[in-house]
């Protein structure tokens, strides 16, 4: 005889549940979820919700594990339906709910339902900073209030900060320009949170300075000798250099005919008429780092280093994943650098004085 997993009474052979008990359980869960949804819409008071939870636990075989699953489901729906701007009352609703639900926070958050809600609310207020609606210190104060109710790990908080920074950069750069006000907001945000500015912002700032005749100050340290007043503007790692090489060979044909003199010996009359043919190919010269300075393009690897002065460059061929460089000089061979976006280098050369 099997026992009903709800009421604990005999359920008959080959059965572990009474149909009526299962139906009562399902109805209890439905009533609970409907009540939670209405509460989150501010249509039910917290005391009414508390009474509902006690009732379904008593009458419908609803346990803490069931409440945790239903809570997470309703909070996911609530997170999906939430729209900016957010208000403090929404946070109060969640705080009161977590106090009356009667199950551990981590049980409700086992699949990250509360983390998602926290991140969405934090992102909304960070957006208010980037759109100029609230000062940064006020926004960070609000974010601390949110995480006091919905704790977020430091890693997830960092991910949220970086996500909003990248979103702001994308929005600011849609027109291809970065205003002084936008630059100031990003700089303040990065300093306050100890973040690293996205590459696009750093490069845009450098280009502005170069355009104004200012030599940017950077933190790049290169294992190469730099000239006077030369600074490294950027470094691309994992770049492969290809160098053009020329292969020479003789091609042509023989004239006359051949005849056998003896076993193993053949004599050929006439001669060979040929001419040299040259063909070029790109030889892999290794993988290393490509340093972009205000004077040179420098490739450095464990096998070799190459320095190309801007004033010696007579041609640049941009590729999707690199660029080709043609230098001035009778014996100069074409070089190709592969493994980076060359747009920044092209912009540097348009602003820099060589």
């Amino acid at each position: 005889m099997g026992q009903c997993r709800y009421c604990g009474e005999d359920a008959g052979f080959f059965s572990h549940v009474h149909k009526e008990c299962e139906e009562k359980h399902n109805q209890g869960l439905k009533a609970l979820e409907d009540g939670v949804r209405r509460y989150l819409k501010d249509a039910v008071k917290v005391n009414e919700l508390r009474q509902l939870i006690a009732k379904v636990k008593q009458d419908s075989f609803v346990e803490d594990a069931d409440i945790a699953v239903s809570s997470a489901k309703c909070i996911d729906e609530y997170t999906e339906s939430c729209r900016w701007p957010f208000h403090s009352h929404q946070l109060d609703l969640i705080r009161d709910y977590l106090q009356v639900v009667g199950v551990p926070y981590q049980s409700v958050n086992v699949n990250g339902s509360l983390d998602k809600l926290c991140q969405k609310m934090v992102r909304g207020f960070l957006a208010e900073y980037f759109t100029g609606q609230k000062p940064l210190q006020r926004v960070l104060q609000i974010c601390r209030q949110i995480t006091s109710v919905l704790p977020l790990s430091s890693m997830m908080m960092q991910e949220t900060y970086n996500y909003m920074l990248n979103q702001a950069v994308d929005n600011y750069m849609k027109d291809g320009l970065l205003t002084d006000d936008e630059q100031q907001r990003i700089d303040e945000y990065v300093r306050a949170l100890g973040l690293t500015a996205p590459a696009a912002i750093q490069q845009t700032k450098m280009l502005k300075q170069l355009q104004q005749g200012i030599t940017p100050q950077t933190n790049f340290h290169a294992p190469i000798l730099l000239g006077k007043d030369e600074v490294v503007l950027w470094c691309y790692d994992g770049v492969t250099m290809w160098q053009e090489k020329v292969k020479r060979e003789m091609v042509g044909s023989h004239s006359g005919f051949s005849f056998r003199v003896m076993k193993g010996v053949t004599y050929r009359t006439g001669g060979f008429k040929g001419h040299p043919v040259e063909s070029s190919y790109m030889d892999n010269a290794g993988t290393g780092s490509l340093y972009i300075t205000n004077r040179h393009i420098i490739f450095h690897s464990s096998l070799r280093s190459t320095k190309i002065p801007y004033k010696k460059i007579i041609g640049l061929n941009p590729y999707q994943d690199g660029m080709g460089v043609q230098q001035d000089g009778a014996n100069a061979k074409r070089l190709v650098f592969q493994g980076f976006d060359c747009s920044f280098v092209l912009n540097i050369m348009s602003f820099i004085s060589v």
Side-chain angles (χ1 to χ4, degrees), residues 48-321:
E48 296 177 69
L49 183 63
R50 183 185 285 110
Q51 293 171 6
L52 174 62
I53 292 173
K55 181 174 175 57
V56 296
K57 290 179 73 172
Q58 180 179 345
D59 299 341
S60 302
F61 312 111
V62 173
E63 299 178 350
D64 286 352
D66 300 316
I67 295 174
V69 171
S70 293
S71 296
K73 177 182 176 182
C74 294
I75 288 172
D76 282 337
E77 294 172 359
Y78 179 70
T79 301
E80 183 66 27
S81 66
C82 276
R83 293 295 179 267
W84 177 83
F86 300 115
H87 303 283
S88 59
H89 179 63
Q90 293 170 287
L91 189 61
D92 293 337
L93 280 176
I94 298 298
R95 179 193 291 111
D96 293 343
Y97 178 74
L98 293 174
Q99 290 175 353
V100 304
V101 71
V103 296
Y105 185 97
Q106 289 303 325
S107 298
V108 179
N109 194 43
V110 66
N111 291 319
S113 299
L114 295 171
D115 289 341
K116 294 172 190 172
L117 177 59
C118 177
Q119 287 180 308
K120 187 167 186 176
M121 296 181 79
V122 167
R123 288 173 183 173
F125 285 106
L126 291 174
E128 291 189 356
Y129 164 71
F130 285 114
T131 53
Q133 298 176 65
K134 282 186 173 66
L136 182 59
Q137 292 308 313
R138 175 56 183 153
V139 167
L140 295 181
Q141 182 184 20
I142 294 172
C143 291
R144 287 191 291 270
Q145 293 172 354
I146 295 171
T147 54
S148 69
V149 176
L150 300 167
L152 205 62
S153 70
S154 58
M155 183 180 72
M156 295 187 74
M157 201 69 191
Q158 201 78 357
E159 288 175 356
T160 305
Y161 288 147
N162 280 309
Y163 173 84
M164 288 308 299
L165 175 59
N166 289 322
Q167 286 291 105
V169 170
D170 289 343
N171 289 331
Y172 287 165
M173 297 292 289
K174 279 181 180 178
D175 57 0
L177 299 172
L178 190 67
T179 66
D180 292 340
D181 182 60
E182 291 167 344
Q183 181 70 64
Q184 186 176 353
R185 280 206 192 99
I186 289 173
D187 289 344
E188 182 185 17
Y189 185 85
V190 166
R191 284 195 305 268
L193 298 173
L195 306 177
T196 300
I201 294 297
Q202 296 182 53
Q203 292 176 352
T204 300
K205 189 174 181 179
M206 288 181 188
L207 292 175
K208 275 188 175 182
Q209 293 175 324
L210 290 171
Q211 191 176 23
Q212 296 166 2
I214 302 171
T215 300
Q217 299 301 312
T218 68
N219 295 320
F220 291 104
H221 300 287
I224 51 180
L225 292 176
L226 300 176
K228 183 181 179 181
D229 299 326
E230 185 175 14
V231 296
V232 176
L233 302 177
W234 205 260
C235 175
Y236 298 101
D237 292 320
V239 173
T240 300
M241 185 175 82
W242 300 81
Q243 183 174 29
E244 183 180 29
K245 289 195 174 181
V246 176
K247 180 180 179 181
R248 293 181 176 85
E249 59 182 350
M250 296 293 293
V251 297
S253 60
H254 288 275
S255 61
F257 59 93
S258 60
F259 57 91
R260 185 171 181 268
V261 176
M262 58 187 300
K263 185 177 181 181
V265 179
T266 301
Y267 178 78
R268 188 175 187 88
T269 65
F272 176 79
K273 289 186 178 181
H275 58 278
V277 174
E278 293 185 352
S279 61
S280 64
Y281 66 97
M282 299 306 292
D283 181 57
N284 189 328
T287 299
S289 298
L290 189 69
Y291 296 94
I292 310 302
T293 82
N294 58 335
R295 295 286 183 269
H296 300 87
I297 295 174
I298 304 172
F299 176 80
H300 176 75
S301 71
S302 58
L303 298 178
R304 63 176 299 176
S305 294
T306 300
K307 181 183 288 188
I308 308 171
Y310 289 138
K311 62 183 179 182
K312 289 287 187 179
I313 296 176
I314 60 173
L316 277 177
N317 295 318
Y319 302 124
Q320 185 176 3
D321 60 345

